[in-house]
Structure formats: C-alpha cells, structure tokens
C-alpha cells in the first residue's frame, strides 16, 4: 500500500504540492493524473526518497522509502527510463541491480525474458536502445526484486501498440496477485482501460479521487456551444455552477433539461447537450483540471 498524508512541498515561494493525501490500495491499479506542472512528478519523487517533503509524509507499506533496508525488494520504481547509464549494456544494468539487492544472477535472465529483450539486445549499450527498449529495461529493473509495490511514471512512453498491450497485461496481472500499482500517464485511454482507482491532481492539490466507476458515473451534464463563455455566464446568472474545460465543453451537476432551458432563455445555441455519464476519462479529466490546463479556449 502507498499512503500519502498531508504532503506539501515548497520551493521558495512556490508550492508544488499542497496538502495532498491519498492511498493506493493492494490488488488495484491506481491512475495518477494531472496536467503538466500539476505536482505528479514531485509527489512521486517524494514517495521514493528523491525529494524531501516540506511537511507531511509518503510511506510504502507504512515505512518511508528511505527507511526500507533493501528498497528494491519492497517497491519497484520507474520514473525516467532515459536516466539509465548509457554506457552500460542492458544485461549489465540488471546484473548490477541484482548484485546490489543480493539477488541470484538467474533473476537477470528471468527479467530479460519477461520484458522480451533478446540476448543480442541485452548485449547492446543503452545509448543504442530505442525509448521503447529503455522502458522495457526500466520495467525489468523495477520488477527485479519481486516487489509488492510499483511506482511508474509514464511507463508506456515509446512503446508500440503491442508493447502497450503487453504492459497493460503485466500490470493487471501484478495487481491481481495482490500487488499495488501507482501509474502516472498522459495516455488517458490506457489509464481508463487499466485503472481501478483514479487520483486527479491540479495546481498541486487533489481535485478528485475514488474508484474509476464512481468518478465517471458522477460526471453530471456536458454541454457545448459556439460561445462557451457566454453559456458559462448564463449558467452563473441562473446560480448553476459550471466548469469550462480546455476543449470548450462545460460540465455541471445540473440536469440536461435545466441547462437547455437556461441556454434557450439566453439565446445561446447548443451544439451538444447530454448526460456526461459514460463520457469517458478524457472529458472528466479536462473538466476537473480546466483551471490548470496550459491550453485555453477563446470565448
């Protein structure tokens, strides 16, 4: 289990993570989502002891990462596949990791086979690896110590469709055997397919968390018009709170009939009006993080 409690990290006058709390449960895949700069990477770096929190804590099965006697046996980590030593071969990287953890050398061969790196590829220096091969090597290194917890940041980067399907099956099987998976990715479709739970962060704070089914079912009403800001203003005048997403859609908890009546009264033409339930993770994500999206929508 991963537990994050009241976690805050400040850099001078900038607060990257602000009082963040959530858990990633055993036997489940938790998707960790947010726009660029929302605080995902900082939170994950605190989890694995690379960044010290200003306050609060992140623990792995009740222990801080820094206090684990042999961390690789407890938690597998992949934060940046490009950070591997470019001058070593894939086999050397796994062998050094195995020796550091006190593992038998046969684990190296098992991991090479698991992540489908051929004997020829294992002899290549990492500088000559594609990004997809580096991702496979990174996943193999994370799994080397047979941990019960995985923390992975964008593990599908560089993988082809077959590789993404392989990774999806790997992580699903890991969780089905009681493992805890925390997965950050910008590939929302993949998160929607694989995740059991979702944690959404924006501007350093948690904006939503819960099971995937609960969050998608509570999506409310989705509306689009040629004048989204005018529609948002009209809803505000009718005391109906709404959120404008980066793609120009509005989401509100009011039912579609009421939103349609407000639009008609204001003379605003709607191009789409429907219950947002089942709209999908992308719509929900854009709505929840509308205030933190880099790309805005003109009125």
């Amino acid at each position: 289990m991963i537990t994050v409690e009241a976690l805050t990290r400040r850099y001078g006058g900038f607060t990257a993570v602000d009082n963040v709390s959530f858990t990633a449960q055993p036997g489940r895949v938790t998707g960790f989502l947010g726009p660029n700069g929302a605080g995902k990477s900082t939170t994950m770096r605190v989890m694995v002891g690379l960044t010290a929190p200003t306050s609060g804590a992140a623990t792995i099965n009740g222990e801080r990462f820094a206090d684990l006697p042999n961390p690789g046996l407890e938690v597998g980590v992949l934060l940046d596949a490009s950070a591997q030593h470019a001058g070593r071969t894939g086999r050397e990287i796994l062998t050094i990791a195995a020796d550091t953890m006190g593992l038998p050398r046969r684990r190296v061969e098992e991991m090479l086979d698991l992540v489908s790196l051929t004997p020829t590829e294992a002899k290549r220096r990492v500088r000559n690896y594609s990004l997809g091969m580096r991702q496979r090597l990174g996943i193999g290194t994370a799994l080397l110590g047979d941990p019960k917890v995985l923390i992975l940041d964008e593990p599908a980067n560089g993988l082809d469709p077959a590789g993404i399907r392989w990774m999806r099956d790997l992580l699903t099987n890991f969780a089905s055997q009681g493992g805890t998976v925390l997965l950050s990715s910008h590939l929302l479709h993949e998160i929607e397919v694989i995740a059991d739970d979702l944690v959404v962060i924006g501007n350093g704070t948690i904006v939503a968390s819960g099971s995937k089914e609960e969050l998608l079912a509570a999506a409310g009403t989705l509306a689009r018009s040629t004048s989204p800001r005018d529609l948002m203003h009209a809803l505000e005048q009718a005391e109906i709170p709404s959120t404008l997403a980066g793609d120009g859609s509005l989401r509100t908890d009011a039912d579609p009939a009421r939103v349609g009546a407000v639009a008609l009264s204001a003379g605003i033409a709607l191009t789409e009006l429907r219950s947002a339930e089942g709209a999908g993770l992308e719509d929900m994500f854009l709505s929840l993080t509308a205030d933190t999206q880099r790309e805005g929508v003109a009125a």
Side-chain angles (χ1 to χ4, degrees), residues 27 30 63 82 85 88 114 118 143 160 211 222 232 244 255:
T30 300
E63 299 285 340
S82 297
H85 194 303
R88 298 194 185 278
L114 177 68
T118 68
L143 291 169
D160 59 20
S211 75
L222 184 142
M232 186 176 186
L244 179 61
D255 63 77

Side-chain angles (χ1 to χ4, degrees), residues 8-161:
T8 296
R9 172 63 195 189
R10 298 188 185 92
Y11 297 93
F14 173 68
T15 302
V17 178
D18 188 7
N19 197 35
V20 162
S21 298
F22 67 88
T23 59
Q25 300 285 348
R28 300 177 73 81
V29 176
T30 300
F32 191 33
L33 307 175
N36 290 338
K40 300 189 305 299
S41 294
T42 299
T43 301
M44 297 176 90
R45 286 177 61 83
V46 171
M47 287 178 190
V48 301
L50 294 175
T51 297
T54 303
S55 61
T59 57
I60 312 294
N61 294 328
E63 299 285 340
R64 293 190 315 138
F65 186 91
D67 294 334
L68 297 173
N70 195 340
L73 303 184
E74 305 287 338
V75 53
V77 179
L78 176 59
L79 297 188
D80 183 1
S82 297
Q84 296 155 343
H85 194 303
R88 298 194 185 278
T89 68
R91 185 184 300 279
E92 286 172 343
I93 285 177
L94 286 171
T95 299
I96 291 169
D99 289 348
T100 300
M101 289 184 242
L103 299 172
R105 291 287 179 89
R106 60 179 171 78
R107 285 295 291 168
V108 173
E109 303 305 321
E110 290 171 358
M111 289 303 101
L112 288 171
D113 183 62
L114 177 68
V115 302
S116 300
L117 287 176
T118 68
T120 299
E121 291 169 339
K123 292 178 183 178
R124 273 193 228 164
R125 299 194 185 279
V126 170
R127 69 166 59 93
N128 298 317
Y129 276 16
S130 67
L131 178 56
M133 291 171 64
R134 294 187 189 199
Q135 292 287 14
R136 288 177 179 272
L137 178 61
I139 292 171
T141 305
L143 291 169
L144 188 65
D146 194 23
K148 298 303 180 186
V149 175
L150 287 177
I151 297 175
L152 309 174
D153 190 8
E154 303 286 359
N157 270 0
L159 294 179
D160 59 20

